[in-house]
Amino acid sequence: MAALEGALSFKPSPSVPLYTDLSAVYKGVPGVEERYKQITESFKKAYGAAPEFYARAPGRVNLIGEHIDYEGYGVLPMAIRQDTVVAVRRVPGGTELVIGNVEADKYPTQRFPANPDQPVDVANHSWANYFVSAYKGAFELLRATRPDDVPQPCGLEVMVHGQVPTGSGLSSSAAIVCASMLGVLSAEGVAPEQLDKAAVAEAACKAERYVGVTSGGMDQAISMMGQQGVSMHVEFNPVRGVCVVLPPGATFVIANSLAVSNKAETAPKRYNLRVVECRLAAVLLAMALGMSREDALAKVRTLRDVEPLIAAAHNGAHDGATCAAAVAEHLKESYSLAELEEALGGKPADLLFAAEPGSVRALQVAEKDKYAFPLRKRAVHVYTEAQRVLDFRRVCEDASLPPAERLAQLGRLMSDSHASCAELYGCSCAELDALVDIAKEAGALGARLTGAGWGGCMVSLVKDEQVDDFVAAMSEKYYKPRVESGSLAASELPEVLFATQAANGAALLVLE
Ligand code: NG1
Ligand code: MG
């Protein structure tokens, strides 16, 4: 799929901004001063002094491009206003990391040694594992970028406050990992202008895998590089972003299905399994297209890696439809583990995933469940979804079309994406499908799940003048019955159903 270079696009600023004024980073967001006061008070109460600085990183909503970042394909998210703040004080000579949370009842304080080489206890998943992962990742970045000048770890006192709903597909995990990593790097003496956003994003992506999910890099990239008012076409290897301006006249509305999807805990049967399936599909497809078994096993990591072979077999064509046709021609609908072993000439766990405990675990669970790997559907989703991302950006940048027509096309791409996620990738759920149907009935131009799926949020594109009616209709049809049955408090409605604008990415703050 060809790269795009458009007129209405621009690159994000390269280094992390340092603010001394809250209103500069949170333009127009209400209640920010109060919130920071509360974080500061919690900090003082826990540690007897004020924090030295704050690092913050937002969640995100992905507009299109689901489950393709780990296959090497670009995605199109935007940062949202909800973020995680990490308040930090250094303890020179200290040997501990003390990680507190403003919501101490829900997230109790945890202590770890100030040792970047400590393991992360994946078996006992805890909220503070995300901080430890970021801590390790921060030192890995320092060791890689300034090997002669790696600082001696100091003790840290930390207070976290997160606003991104967890398990909802809005990337609360990337928000805490990115904010924590910035906090650690800054505490270890790295100046904001030396913090390259893309490099931190890349390091944060690797670091987040310590919690046991074999994730792609979208969330960390947009959390670091997001910019107010624009979405971003994020590409990988290396991580880079181009800001994409959406046509005027419509708003994205987020709605939480209220089905919680805890990705770290469900990874072996869901997220990590999908990553495994894509790798298997890529290797088998490469072999079917003439690559030797040895080369395919050693060199093919993603479906994107197979594109040149598809192009060679199709007179140079490698658009989404051509790639999908190649998949349909060469891959079976599904494979048992025994068939995979036969086709690969050995056990997949040994041949392809020996260095990836998360993938090996997924294969073990699949074996126990006698799972049939539906590789054809998975690969068709990836190739067609990658094409939809490029189409989405192209529509945004096509000034020859009137905005209303562009918005209608964007909506259709979003709805097609949802259908593909649900039918081919199997990452939707009954609640999300119901919400998408309700959204379309309520007048959305398009609607789709966002993030990993299996629960969490969906995003709709709605004409500006219809937003109020749309929110009222969604509330009536999906949320009112839940309020009546007592499963949702009426006061929580604004947190589960809200219109959103693209907000700023990560930043450091030094306040009075
Ligand atoms: P969420 O929904 O934030 O957990 C996950 C992955 C992304 C991407 C999407 C699916 C992490 C941190 N994020 O997002 O990299 O693969 O699913 O498109 O695992
Ligand atoms: Mg996440």
Side-chain angles (χ1 to χ4, degrees), residues 380-412:
V380 170
H381 165 78
V382 169
Y383 285 128
T384 54
E385 183 77 354
Q387 183 65 54
R388 279 187 286 274
V389 172
L390 297 179
D391 293 348
F392 193 98
R393 178 173 160 192
R394 198 175 284 124
V395 170
C396 287
E397 293 172 347
D398 186 351
S400 74
L401 289 174
E405 173 53 27
R406 283 192 271 159
L407 290 171
Q409 288 191 23
L410 297 180
R412 280 197 292 276

PDB file of all heavy atoms in Angstrom, residues 380-412:
ATOM      1  N   VAL A 380      -7.400 -11.124   5.909  1.00  0.00           N
ATOM      2  CA  VAL A 380      -8.212 -10.235   5.055  1.00  0.00           C
ATOM      3  C   VAL A 380      -8.557  -8.959   5.824  1.00  0.00           C
ATOM      4  O   VAL A 380      -8.498  -7.850   5.289  1.00  0.00           O
ATOM      5  CB  VAL A 380      -9.489 -10.956   4.554  1.00  0.00           C
ATOM      6  CG1 VAL A 380     -10.438  -9.963   3.880  1.00  0.00           C
ATOM      7  CG2 VAL A 380      -9.120 -12.070   3.571  1.00  0.00           C
ATOM      8  N   HIS A 381      -8.899  -9.102   7.106  1.00  0.00           N
ATOM      9  CA  HIS A 381      -9.168  -7.898   7.896  1.00  0.00           C
ATOM     10  C   HIS A 381      -7.968  -6.951   7.863  1.00  0.00           C
ATOM     11  O   HIS A 381      -8.114  -5.753   7.604  1.00  0.00           O
ATOM     12  CB  HIS A 381      -9.499  -8.228   9.361  1.00  0.00           C
ATOM     13  CG  HIS A 381      -9.431  -7.015  10.245  1.00  0.00           C
ATOM     14  ND1 HIS A 381     -10.436  -6.073  10.291  1.00  0.00           N
ATOM     15  CD2 HIS A 381      -8.441  -6.531  11.059  1.00  0.00           C
ATOM     16  CE1 HIS A 381     -10.081  -5.083  11.101  1.00  0.00           C
ATOM     17  NE2 HIS A 381      -8.867  -5.347  11.580  1.00  0.00           N
ATOM     18  N   VAL A 382      -6.800  -7.471   8.154  1.00  0.00           N
ATOM     19  CA  VAL A 382      -5.619  -6.607   8.272  1.00  0.00           C
ATOM     20  C   VAL A 382      -5.369  -5.843   6.961  1.00  0.00           C
ATOM     21  O   VAL A 382      -5.189  -4.620   6.958  1.00  0.00           O
ATOM     22  CB  VAL A 382      -4.374  -7.422   8.681  1.00  0.00           C
ATOM     23  CG1 VAL A 382      -3.103  -6.577   8.546  1.00  0.00           C
ATOM     24  CG2 VAL A 382      -4.529  -7.927  10.118  1.00  0.00           C
ATOM     25  N   TYR A 383      -5.389  -6.556   5.834  1.00  0.00           N
ATOM     26  CA  TYR A 383      -5.074  -5.880   4.568  1.00  0.00           C
ATOM     27  C   TYR A 383      -6.152  -4.860   4.180  1.00  0.00           C
ATOM     28  O   TYR A 383      -5.837  -3.768   3.697  1.00  0.00           O
ATOM     29  CB  TYR A 383      -4.900  -6.905   3.448  1.00  0.00           C
ATOM     30  CG  TYR A 383      -3.588  -7.671   3.522  1.00  0.00           C
ATOM     31  CD1 TYR A 383      -3.561  -9.067   3.481  1.00  0.00           C
ATOM     32  CD2 TYR A 383      -2.363  -6.995   3.621  1.00  0.00           C
ATOM     33  CE1 TYR A 383      -2.357  -9.771   3.531  1.00  0.00           C
ATOM     34  CE2 TYR A 383      -1.162  -7.695   3.676  1.00  0.00           C
ATOM     35  CZ  TYR A 383      -1.166  -9.081   3.641  1.00  0.00           C
ATOM     36  OH  TYR A 383       0.017  -9.766   3.696  1.00  0.00           O
ATOM     37  N   THR A 384      -7.422  -5.206   4.397  1.00  0.00           N
ATOM     38  CA  THR A 384      -8.464  -4.262   3.982  1.00  0.00           C
ATOM     39  C   THR A 384      -8.542  -3.076   4.951  1.00  0.00           C
ATOM     40  O   THR A 384      -8.804  -1.949   4.544  1.00  0.00           O
ATOM     41  CB  THR A 384      -9.843  -4.949   3.868  1.00  0.00           C
ATOM     42  OG1 THR A 384     -10.141  -5.621   5.096  1.00  0.00           O
ATOM     43  CG2 THR A 384      -9.854  -5.953   2.726  1.00  0.00           C
ATOM     44  N   GLU A 385      -8.274  -3.329   6.221  1.00  0.00           N
ATOM     45  CA  GLU A 385      -8.289  -2.241   7.208  1.00  0.00           C
ATOM     46  C   GLU A 385      -7.123  -1.265   6.934  1.00  0.00           C
ATOM     47  O   GLU A 385      -7.294  -0.047   7.043  1.00  0.00           O
ATOM     48  CB  GLU A 385      -8.204  -2.816   8.624  1.00  0.00           C
ATOM     49  CG  GLU A 385      -8.285  -1.802   9.761  1.00  0.00           C
ATOM     50  CD  GLU A 385      -9.705  -1.283  10.034  1.00  0.00           C
ATOM     51  OE1 GLU A 385     -10.631  -1.607   9.278  1.00  0.00           O
ATOM     52  OE2 GLU A 385      -9.853  -0.520  11.010  1.00  0.00           O
ATOM     53  N   ALA A 386      -5.980  -1.806   6.574  1.00  0.00           N
ATOM     54  CA  ALA A 386      -4.835  -0.942   6.241  1.00  0.00           C
ATOM     55  C   ALA A 386      -5.195  -0.033   5.066  1.00  0.00           C
ATOM     56  O   ALA A 386      -4.851   1.158   5.049  1.00  0.00           O
ATOM     57  CB  ALA A 386      -3.615  -1.795   5.916  1.00  0.00           C
ATOM     58  N   GLN A 387      -5.910  -0.576   4.108  1.00  0.00           N
ATOM     59  CA  GLN A 387      -6.339   0.235   2.963  1.00  0.00           C
ATOM     60  C   GLN A 387      -7.341   1.303   3.397  1.00  0.00           C
ATOM     61  O   GLN A 387      -7.283   2.449   2.934  1.00  0.00           O
ATOM     62  CB  GLN A 387      -6.977  -0.669   1.892  1.00  0.00           C
ATOM     63  CG  GLN A 387      -7.385   0.064   0.633  1.00  0.00           C
ATOM     64  CD  GLN A 387      -6.176   0.634  -0.111  1.00  0.00           C
ATOM     65  OE1 GLN A 387      -5.237  -0.089  -0.435  1.00  0.00           O
ATOM     66  NE2 GLN A 387      -6.180   1.939  -0.356  1.00  0.00           N
ATOM     67  N   ARG A 388      -8.242   0.953   4.308  1.00  0.00           N
ATOM     68  CA  ARG A 388      -9.231   1.945   4.769  1.00  0.00           C
ATOM     69  C   ARG A 388      -8.564   3.140   5.460  1.00  0.00           C
ATOM     70  O   ARG A 388      -9.036   4.268   5.361  1.00  0.00           O
ATOM     71  CB  ARG A 388     -10.246   1.293   5.721  1.00  0.00           C
ATOM     72  CG  ARG A 388     -11.356   0.541   5.010  1.00  0.00           C
ATOM     73  CD  ARG A 388     -12.436   0.052   5.971  1.00  0.00           C
ATOM     74  NE  ARG A 388     -12.004  -1.075   6.767  1.00  0.00           N
ATOM     75  CZ  ARG A 388     -12.092  -2.352   6.377  1.00  0.00           C
ATOM     76  NH1 ARG A 388     -12.641  -2.662   5.218  1.00  0.00           N
ATOM     77  NH2 ARG A 388     -11.656  -3.325   7.154  1.00  0.00           N
ATOM     78  N   VAL A 389      -7.464   2.891   6.161  1.00  0.00           N
ATOM     79  CA  VAL A 389      -6.750   4.006   6.806  1.00  0.00           C
ATOM     80  C   VAL A 389      -6.238   4.979   5.746  1.00  0.00           C
ATOM     81  O   VAL A 389      -6.396   6.204   5.862  1.00  0.00           O
ATOM     82  CB  VAL A 389      -5.582   3.482   7.674  1.00  0.00           C
ATOM     83  CG1 VAL A 389      -4.718   4.639   8.174  1.00  0.00           C
ATOM     84  CG2 VAL A 389      -6.114   2.656   8.845  1.00  0.00           C
ATOM     85  N   LEU A 390      -5.636   4.442   4.697  1.00  0.00           N
ATOM     86  CA  LEU A 390      -5.123   5.305   3.630  1.00  0.00           C
ATOM     87  C   LEU A 390      -6.272   6.038   2.936  1.00  0.00           C
ATOM     88  O   LEU A 390      -6.168   7.224   2.614  1.00  0.00           O
ATOM     89  CB  LEU A 390      -4.337   4.482   2.611  1.00  0.00           C
ATOM     90  CG  LEU A 390      -3.078   3.797   3.159  1.00  0.00           C
ATOM     91  CD1 LEU A 390      -2.403   2.987   2.067  1.00  0.00           C
ATOM     92  CD2 LEU A 390      -2.110   4.823   3.728  1.00  0.00           C
ATOM     93  N   ASP A 391      -7.383   5.325   2.725  1.00  0.00           N
ATOM     94  CA  ASP A 391      -8.543   5.956   2.089  1.00  0.00           C
ATOM     95  C   ASP A 391      -9.084   7.079   2.977  1.00  0.00           C
ATOM     96  O   ASP A 391      -9.451   8.151   2.485  1.00  0.00           O
ATOM     97  CB  ASP A 391      -9.646   4.926   1.839  1.00  0.00           C
ATOM     98  CG  ASP A 391      -9.244   3.892   0.788  1.00  0.00           C
ATOM     99  OD1 ASP A 391      -8.228   4.111   0.100  1.00  0.00           O
ATOM    100  OD2 ASP A 391      -9.938   2.863   0.673  1.00  0.00           O
ATOM    101  N   PHE A 392      -9.119   6.834   4.279  1.00  0.00           N
ATOM    102  CA  PHE A 392      -9.637   7.826   5.228  1.00  0.00           C
ATOM    103  C   PHE A 392      -8.798   9.101   5.142  1.00  0.00           C
ATOM    104  O   PHE A 392      -9.321  10.209   5.020  1.00  0.00           O
ATOM    105  CB  PHE A 392      -9.577   7.230   6.644  1.00  0.00           C
ATOM    106  CG  PHE A 392     -10.346   7.978   7.706  1.00  0.00           C
ATOM    107  CD1 PHE A 392     -11.617   7.568   8.075  1.00  0.00           C
ATOM    108  CD2 PHE A 392      -9.786   9.065   8.374  1.00  0.00           C
ATOM    109  CE1 PHE A 392     -12.329   8.228   9.081  1.00  0.00           C
ATOM    110  CE2 PHE A 392     -10.480   9.731   9.374  1.00  0.00           C
ATOM    111  CZ  PHE A 392     -11.752   9.308   9.731  1.00  0.00           C
ATOM    112  N   ARG A 393      -7.494   8.933   5.172  1.00  0.00           N
ATOM    113  CA  ARG A 393      -6.639  10.124   5.095  1.00  0.00           C
ATOM    114  C   ARG A 393      -6.797  10.832   3.742  1.00  0.00           C
ATOM    115  O   ARG A 393      -6.874  12.054   3.678  1.00  0.00           O
ATOM    116  CB  ARG A 393      -5.179   9.733   5.316  1.00  0.00           C
ATOM    117  CG  ARG A 393      -4.264  10.939   5.205  1.00  0.00           C
ATOM    118  CD  ARG A 393      -2.840  10.645   5.588  1.00  0.00           C
ATOM    119  NE  ARG A 393      -1.970  11.665   5.030  1.00  0.00           N
ATOM    120  CZ  ARG A 393      -0.662  11.579   4.998  1.00  0.00           C
ATOM    121  NH1 ARG A 393      -0.053  10.536   5.508  1.00  0.00           N
ATOM    122  NH2 ARG A 393       0.054  12.544   4.459  1.00  0.00           N
ATOM    123  N   ARG A 394      -6.892  10.034   2.689  1.00  0.00           N
ATOM    124  CA  ARG A 394      -7.017  10.633   1.361  1.00  0.00           C
ATOM    125  C   ARG A 394      -8.306  11.447   1.265  1.00  0.00           C
ATOM    126  O   ARG A 394      -8.312  12.560   0.728  1.00  0.00           O
ATOM    127  CB  ARG A 394      -6.988   9.530   0.295  1.00  0.00           C
ATOM    128  CG  ARG A 394      -6.688  10.042  -1.098  1.00  0.00           C
ATOM    129  CD  ARG A 394      -6.560   8.884  -2.099  1.00  0.00           C
ATOM    130  NE  ARG A 394      -5.310   8.154  -2.005  1.00  0.00           N
ATOM    131  CZ  ARG A 394      -5.211   6.830  -1.800  1.00  0.00           C
ATOM    132  NH1 ARG A 394      -6.300   6.091  -1.660  1.00  0.00           N
ATOM    133  NH2 ARG A 394      -4.044   6.240  -1.737  1.00  0.00           N
ATOM    134  N   VAL A 395      -9.381  10.933   1.842  1.00  0.00           N
ATOM    135  CA  VAL A 395     -10.658  11.658   1.826  1.00  0.00           C
ATOM    136  C   VAL A 395     -10.522  12.966   2.622  1.00  0.00           C
ATOM    137  O   VAL A 395     -10.985  14.026   2.189  1.00  0.00           O
ATOM    138  CB  VAL A 395     -11.798  10.778   2.392  1.00  0.00           C
ATOM    139  CG1 VAL A 395     -13.071  11.599   2.596  1.00  0.00           C
ATOM    140  CG2 VAL A 395     -12.080   9.603   1.465  1.00  0.00           C
ATOM    141  N   CYS A 396      -9.858  12.902   3.773  1.00  0.00           N
ATOM    142  CA  CYS A 396      -9.657  14.125   4.576  1.00  0.00           C
ATOM    143  C   CYS A 396      -8.929  15.182   3.765  1.00  0.00           C
ATOM    144  O   CYS A 396      -9.163  16.376   3.915  1.00  0.00           O
ATOM    145  CB  CYS A 396      -8.840  13.813   5.830  1.00  0.00           C
ATOM    146  SG  CYS A 396      -9.748  12.904   7.079  1.00  0.00           S
ATOM    147  N   GLU A 397      -8.014  14.745   2.928  1.00  0.00           N
ATOM    148  CA  GLU A 397      -7.147  15.697   2.223  1.00  0.00           C
ATOM    149  C   GLU A 397      -7.653  16.061   0.835  1.00  0.00           C
ATOM    150  O   GLU A 397      -7.041  16.868   0.138  1.00  0.00           O
ATOM    151  CB  GLU A 397      -5.728  15.110   2.148  1.00  0.00           C
ATOM    152  CG  GLU A 397      -5.113  15.026   3.540  1.00  0.00           C
ATOM    153  CD  GLU A 397      -3.783  14.281   3.588  1.00  0.00           C
ATOM    154  OE1 GLU A 397      -3.443  13.609   2.603  1.00  0.00           O
ATOM    155  OE2 GLU A 397      -3.099  14.422   4.616  1.00  0.00           O
ATOM    156  N   ASP A 398      -8.780  15.492   0.434  1.00  0.00           N
ATOM    157  CA  ASP A 398      -9.282  15.738  -0.917  1.00  0.00           C
ATOM    158  C   ASP A 398     -10.136  17.005  -0.957  1.00  0.00           C
ATOM    159  O   ASP A 398     -11.361  16.959  -0.790  1.00  0.00           O
ATOM    160  CB  ASP A 398     -10.101  14.527  -1.383  1.00  0.00           C
ATOM    161  CG  ASP A 398     -10.523  14.663  -2.834  1.00  0.00           C
ATOM    162  OD1 ASP A 398     -10.333  15.761  -3.418  1.00  0.00           O
ATOM    163  OD2 ASP A 398     -11.054  13.683  -3.381  1.00  0.00           O
ATOM    164  N   ALA A 399      -9.470  18.117  -1.201  1.00  0.00           N
ATOM    165  CA  ALA A 399     -10.162  19.406  -1.180  1.00  0.00           C
ATOM    166  C   ALA A 399     -11.113  19.564  -2.369  1.00  0.00           C
ATOM    167  O   ALA A 399     -11.907  20.505  -2.415  1.00  0.00           O
ATOM    168  CB  ALA A 399      -9.143  20.531  -1.163  1.00  0.00           C
ATOM    169  N   SER A 400     -11.066  18.640  -3.325  1.00  0.00           N
ATOM    170  CA  SER A 400     -11.960  18.775  -4.489  1.00  0.00           C
ATOM    171  C   SER A 400     -13.395  18.350  -4.144  1.00  0.00           C
ATOM    172  O   SER A 400     -14.327  18.667  -4.864  1.00  0.00           O
ATOM    173  CB  SER A 400     -11.433  17.941  -5.656  1.00  0.00           C
ATOM    174  OG  SER A 400     -11.668  16.571  -5.400  1.00  0.00           O
ATOM    175  N   LEU A 401     -13.540  17.616  -3.039  1.00  0.00           N
ATOM    176  CA  LEU A 401     -14.891  17.180  -2.648  1.00  0.00           C
ATOM    177  C   LEU A 401     -15.468  18.139  -1.609  1.00  0.00           C
ATOM    178  O   LEU A 401     -14.738  18.607  -0.733  1.00  0.00           O
ATOM    179  CB  LEU A 401     -14.838  15.790  -2.019  1.00  0.00           C
ATOM    180  CG  LEU A 401     -14.553  14.594  -2.913  1.00  0.00           C
ATOM    181  CD1 LEU A 401     -14.394  13.342  -2.048  1.00  0.00           C
ATOM    182  CD2 LEU A 401     -15.684  14.396  -3.913  1.00  0.00           C
ATOM    183  N   PRO A 402     -16.789  18.410  -1.654  1.00  0.00           N
ATOM    184  CA  PRO A 402     -17.387  19.249  -0.603  1.00  0.00           C
ATOM    185  C   PRO A 402     -17.298  18.535   0.746  1.00  0.00           C
ATOM    186  O   PRO A 402     -17.365  17.298   0.787  1.00  0.00           O
ATOM    187  CB  PRO A 402     -18.842  19.398  -1.037  1.00  0.00           C
ATOM    188  CG  PRO A 402     -19.064  18.454  -2.147  1.00  0.00           C
ATOM    189  CD  PRO A 402     -17.752  17.982  -2.666  1.00  0.00           C
ATOM    190  N   PRO A 403     -17.146  19.295   1.864  1.00  0.00           N
ATOM    191  CA  PRO A 403     -16.987  18.658   3.174  1.00  0.00           C
ATOM    192  C   PRO A 403     -18.077  17.646   3.490  1.00  0.00           C
ATOM    193  O   PRO A 403     -17.787  16.580   4.048  1.00  0.00           O
ATOM    194  CB  PRO A 403     -17.043  19.844   4.146  1.00  0.00           C
ATOM    195  CG  PRO A 403     -16.563  21.002   3.356  1.00  0.00           C
ATOM    196  CD  PRO A 403     -17.006  20.759   1.937  1.00  0.00           C
ATOM    197  N   ALA A 404     -19.329  17.923   3.125  1.00  0.00           N
ATOM    198  CA  ALA A 404     -20.407  16.994   3.468  1.00  0.00           C
ATOM    199  C   ALA A 404     -20.185  15.635   2.802  1.00  0.00           C
ATOM    200  O   ALA A 404     -20.410  14.584   3.403  1.00  0.00           O
ATOM    201  CB  ALA A 404     -21.760  17.572   3.065  1.00  0.00           C
ATOM    202  N   GLU A 405     -19.722  15.649   1.568  1.00  0.00           N
ATOM    203  CA  GLU A 405     -19.461  14.389   0.865  1.00  0.00           C
ATOM    204  C   GLU A 405     -18.275  13.664   1.502  1.00  0.00           C
ATOM    205  O   GLU A 405     -18.265  12.442   1.661  1.00  0.00           O
ATOM    206  CB  GLU A 405     -19.203  14.682  -0.618  1.00  0.00           C
ATOM    207  CG  GLU A 405     -18.748  13.494  -1.453  1.00  0.00           C
ATOM    208  CD  GLU A 405     -19.657  12.264  -1.354  1.00  0.00           C
ATOM    209  OE1 GLU A 405     -20.864  12.426  -1.081  1.00  0.00           O
ATOM    210  OE2 GLU A 405     -19.138  11.133  -1.522  1.00  0.00           O
ATOM    211  N   ARG A 406     -17.260  14.460   1.896  1.00  0.00           N
ATOM    212  CA  ARG A 406     -16.104  13.836   2.543  1.00  0.00           C
ATOM    213  C   ARG A 406     -16.520  13.179   3.861  1.00  0.00           C
ATOM    214  O   ARG A 406     -16.103  12.062   4.164  1.00  0.00           O
ATOM    215  CB  ARG A 406     -15.018  14.885   2.793  1.00  0.00           C
ATOM    216  CG  ARG A 406     -14.253  15.225   1.514  1.00  0.00           C
ATOM    217  CD  ARG A 406     -13.022  16.018   1.840  1.00  0.00           C
ATOM    218  NE  ARG A 406     -13.308  17.439   1.862  1.00  0.00           N
ATOM    219  CZ  ARG A 406     -12.561  18.338   2.496  1.00  0.00           C
ATOM    220  NH1 ARG A 406     -11.518  17.955   3.200  1.00  0.00           N
ATOM    221  NH2 ARG A 406     -12.869  19.615   2.443  1.00  0.00           N
ATOM    222  N   LEU A 407     -17.359  13.885   4.632  1.00  0.00           N
ATOM    223  CA  LEU A 407     -17.799  13.315   5.913  1.00  0.00           C
ATOM    224  C   LEU A 407     -18.596  12.023   5.694  1.00  0.00           C
ATOM    225  O   LEU A 407     -18.433  11.049   6.430  1.00  0.00           O
ATOM    226  CB  LEU A 407     -18.636  14.333   6.686  1.00  0.00           C
ATOM    227  CG  LEU A 407     -17.835  15.520   7.231  1.00  0.00           C
ATOM    228  CD1 LEU A 407     -18.769  16.586   7.791  1.00  0.00           C
ATOM    229  CD2 LEU A 407     -16.848  15.070   8.301  1.00  0.00           C
ATOM    230  N   ALA A 408     -19.439  12.023   4.673  1.00  0.00           N
ATOM    231  CA  ALA A 408     -20.234  10.814   4.400  1.00  0.00           C
ATOM    232  C   ALA A 408     -19.304   9.642   4.072  1.00  0.00           C
ATOM    233  O   ALA A 408     -19.498   8.518   4.547  1.00  0.00           O
ATOM    234  CB  ALA A 408     -21.201  11.081   3.252  1.00  0.00           C
ATOM    235  N   GLN A 409     -18.265   9.919   3.300  1.00  0.00           N
ATOM    236  CA  GLN A 409     -17.322   8.846   2.942  1.00  0.00           C
ATOM    237  C   GLN A 409     -16.554   8.352   4.172  1.00  0.00           C
ATOM    238  O   GLN A 409     -16.318   7.155   4.340  1.00  0.00           O
ATOM    239  CB  GLN A 409     -16.338   9.335   1.875  1.00  0.00           C
ATOM    240  CG  GLN A 409     -16.982   9.489   0.506  1.00  0.00           C
ATOM    241  CD  GLN A 409     -15.935   9.716  -0.588  1.00  0.00           C
ATOM    242  OE1 GLN A 409     -14.777   9.367  -0.442  1.00  0.00           O
ATOM    243  NE2 GLN A 409     -16.368  10.308  -1.698  1.00  0.00           N
ATOM    244  N   LEU A 410     -16.156   9.298   5.029  1.00  0.00           N
ATOM    245  CA  LEU A 410     -15.435   8.901   6.245  1.00  0.00           C
ATOM    246  C   LEU A 410     -16.321   7.998   7.112  1.00  0.00           C
ATOM    247  O   LEU A 410     -15.870   6.992   7.660  1.00  0.00           O
ATOM    248  CB  LEU A 410     -14.999  10.122   7.054  1.00  0.00           C
ATOM    249  CG  LEU A 410     -14.006  11.064   6.366  1.00  0.00           C
ATOM    250  CD1 LEU A 410     -13.663  12.232   7.297  1.00  0.00           C
ATOM    251  CD2 LEU A 410     -12.734  10.335   5.966  1.00  0.00           C
ATOM    252  N   GLY A 411     -17.592   8.385   7.219  1.00  0.00           N
ATOM    253  CA  GLY A 411     -18.530   7.583   8.006  1.00  0.00           C
ATOM    254  C   GLY A 411     -18.644   6.170   7.467  1.00  0.00           C
ATOM    255  O   GLY A 411     -18.625   5.192   8.224  1.00  0.00           O
ATOM    256  N   ARG A 412     -18.713   6.054   6.148  1.00  0.00           N
ATOM    257  CA  ARG A 412     -18.828   4.709   5.556  1.00  0.00           C
ATOM    258  C   ARG A 412     -17.586   3.872   5.843  1.00  0.00           C
ATOM    259  O   ARG A 412     -17.672   2.690   6.165  1.00  0.00           O
ATOM    260  CB  ARG A 412     -19.061   4.812   4.038  1.00  0.00           C
ATOM    261  CG  ARG A 412     -20.522   5.108   3.698  1.00  0.00           C
ATOM    262  CD  ARG A 412     -20.825   4.800   2.230  1.00  0.00           C
ATOM    263  NE  ARG A 412     -20.157   5.718   1.312  1.00  0.00           N
ATOM    264  CZ  ARG A 412     -20.644   6.916   0.982  1.00  0.00           C
ATOM    265  NH1 ARG A 412     -21.795   7.335   1.480  1.00  0.00           N
ATOM    266  NH2 ARG A 412     -19.989   7.683   0.138  1.00  0.00           N
TER     267      ARG A 412
END
